[in-house]
Amino acid sequence: LDVYACECVTSLAERLRAQFPGFVGSEYFSDGRVSQAVSARFPDCTHQDVQTLSFPDSSFDLYVSSEVLEHVPSVSLTIKEARRILRPGGVFLATFPFRLVHYESLTRAVLNTDGDIEYLTEPEYHGNPVNPSGGSLVFTIPGWDILDTCREAGFKQASMRLVFSPELGIVGTHCAGIFVLEARF
């Protein structure tokens, strides 16, 4: 399988890299360049904006997005890009903070027409492996409407799966496990 993950410095990326010879990983760098520290340790790491990926259409069989969707200004553009780079039969898997009891996603911040950030709620930041001291701004917390967004982007099937395994340490803080978006093209 040819696998893309929008991460390359994490333990998940290391496991994917070891298991799939066709693995491609990336990180987002605010200045658009891979830092020297990252390139020294991960020479195959590239900079990618998941809203406008540089890969040709139908490049991958699997796209893995772990705790990234909430940090992009447009979840819709990101999902359209995921669909674009997947081959027929491809699968998009994503984890993110999920509004389990809400249909609508919560928009916390947007980019205005000048490209400046407009905060709609108190700013929230989550950890970022390439910027541990600054973190990453949360733009959106997806709700169940993310399934409609996937279908509108061209995915044939979209569902949320609850993954739970105390033996593997897969447990959640607000529910029994972790919700995973699975969208199939």
Side-chain angles (χ1 to χ4, degrees), residues 30-50:
S30 58
D31 64 0
R33 297 182 314 205
V34 179
S35 71
Q36 289 181 341
V38 170
S39 65
R41 187 161 174 227
F42 302 97
D44 61 341
C45 187
T46 64
H47 162 77
Q48 293 285 335
D49 178 341
V50 293

Side-chain angles (χ1 to χ4, degrees), residues 163-171 176-178:
V163 178
F164 171 73
S165 174
E167 295 84 19
L168 297 175
I170 302 173
V171 295
I178 298 170

Side-chain angles (χ1 to χ4, degrees), residues 10 12 24 58 71 78-79 82 89 109 116 123 139 148 163 170 174:
T10 63
L12 173 60
V24 174
S58 304
H71 300 293
T78 302
I79 290 175
D116 296 326
F139 281 89
D148 295 332
V163 178
I170 302 173
H174 302 296

Side-chain angles (χ1 to χ4, degrees), residues 62-63 89-96 146-147 150-151 155-161 163 179-185:
L62 175 64
Y63 180 150
V91 177
F92 176 57
L93 297 175
T95 62
F96 43 82
I146 196 164
L147 300 178
C150 290
R151 290 183 201 100
F155 283 100
K156 294 175 184 170
Q157 299 174 351
S159 60
M160 294 298 294
R161 310 235 180 222
V163 178
F179 279 91
V180 178
L181 171 66
E182 178 185 352
R184 293 183 172 274
F185 170 53

